């Protein structure tokens, strides 16, 4: 069974997804939300698992692509690196 803390985190992640769905002010080359997104990907992975982190990552990348790929490549690379790190941690834990 999922713990209350994990349920709350999941609900918070849903709110963040809704926020980033409805707002586009963060879809620009430089925005403080980009670092927040990095932290969200990491927290989602550490708390909920790599699959949840990947879902959020893919959602964010999809929003960027819909907007014309505005996010700088170095930011997207950081998101990908964070996701890959989470996957590696999860893989090492299962060994």
């Amino acid at each position: 069974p999922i713990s209350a803390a994990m349920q709350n985190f999941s609900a918070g992640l849903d709110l963040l997804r809704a926020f980033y769905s409805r707002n586009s002010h963060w879809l620009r080359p430089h925005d403080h939300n980009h670092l927040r997104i990095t932290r969200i990907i990491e927290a989602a992975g550490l708390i909920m698992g790599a699959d949840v982190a990947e879902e959020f990552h893919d959602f964010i990348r999809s929003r960027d692509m819909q907007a014309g790929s505005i996010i700088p490549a170095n930011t997207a690379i950081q998101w990908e690196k964070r996701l890959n790190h989470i996957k590696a941690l999860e893989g090492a834990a299962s060994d």
Side-chain angles (χ1 to χ4, degrees), residues 58-79:
D58 292 350
F59 158 74
I60 290 294
R61 296 296 292 137
S62 175
R63 284 283 288 130
D64 179 42
M65 286 190 296
Q66 291 168 358
S69 298
I70 297 166
I71 303 299
N74 63 329
T75 300
I77 289 168
Q78 289 304 312
W79 293 341

Side-chain angles (χ1 to χ4, degrees), residues 22-83:
R22 288 190 303 263
N23 296 285
S24 59
H25 66 277
W26 62 276
L27 288 165
R28 55 186 174 181
H30 303 287
D31 188 82
H32 66 278
N33 281 286
H34 299 171
L35 183 55
R36 286 187 179 138
I37 290 166
T38 305
R39 292 176 179 149
I40 293 165
I41 292 167
E42 181 174 37
L46 292 173
I47 295 168
M48 302 293 293
D51 290 345
V52 174
E54 188 166 26
E55 287 174 16
F56 190 81
H57 171 269
D58 292 350
F59 158 74
I60 290 294
R61 296 296 292 137
S62 175
R63 284 283 288 130
D64 179 42
M65 286 190 296
Q66 291 168 358
S69 298
I70 297 166
I71 303 299
N74 63 329
T75 300
I77 289 168
Q78 289 304 312
W79 293 341
E80 189 75 26
K81 281 183 180 180
R82 198 60 54 104
L83 178 60

